[in-house]
Amino acid sequence: MDKTPVAKVSSGVPIWKSRGMRQDSPEVFLSNQKELVKDLMDRAKQIQVLIDALPPPDVEDNQAERLEKINAEMRAANEEYREAVQRAIIALLGSNAAAYRASLFDNPYIVGFEPSV
């Protein structure tokens, strides 16, 4: 298997650069090795702290009940919001409120409003 020849773009830019025979001294190598081990141990401790902070996994039945409860709370909050907006429209627009309210709540492109069922 032959290597693909690399065309030199410029005589000032080498295709590869030799590092020569540079090596760290044994003392520097050991120091770097100890620093790497220390960094890895610190990172492992940080990860363990994050894992310990996670809530325990729910049983599927509990999770379904909890999600249903959250969904019901969200629906109630949305209904309260819709009623508050309707009251504000009536207060601001007076007698024309019914026409504006009908056009507003019948528009599916307005965010936060669901069509009346």
Side-chain angles (χ1 to χ4, degrees):
M1 192 186 230
D2 293 330
K3 291 185 178 180
T4 305
V6 178
K8 207 169 191 175
V9 176
S10 168
S11 61
V13 179
I15 294 175
W16 57 277
K17 184 175 181 180
S18 174
R19 290 182 44 135
M21 296 303 288
R22 286 190 329 198
Q23 291 182 350
D24 292 334
S25 67
E27 295 83 20
V28 171
F29 178 77
L30 284 175
S31 173
N32 289 342
Q33 193 176 33
K34 287 179 182 180
E35 182 181 355
L36 178 62
V37 169
K38 181 187 176 302
D39 289 346
L40 290 172
M41 294 300 293
D42 289 344
R43 182 61 66 176
K45 288 176 186 176
Q46 291 171 348
I47 291 171
Q48 189 60 48
V49 167
L50 292 173
I51 290 171
D52 292 342
L54 290 172
D58 282 346
V59 179
E60 274 191 43
D61 295 338
N62 293 344
Q63 186 178 19
E65 290 172 10
R66 191 177 52 138
L67 290 175
E68 188 59 39
K69 180 181 175 186
I70 291 171
N71 193 18
E73 290 173 2
M74 184 180 68
R75 287 179 192 270
N78 283 341
E79 187 58 34
E80 288 176 22
Y81 174 73
R82 184 195 321 261
E83 290 170 3
V85 169
Q86 287 177 353
R87 285 192 304 273
I89 289 172
I90 291 170
L92 290 173
L93 302 176
S95 62
N96 295 330
Y100 288 117
R101 185 175 59 239
S103 66
L104 181 67
F105 286 106
D106 291 339
N107 187 344
Y109 299 105
I110 300 208
V111 176
F113 295 99
E114 298 171 0
S116 300
V117 184

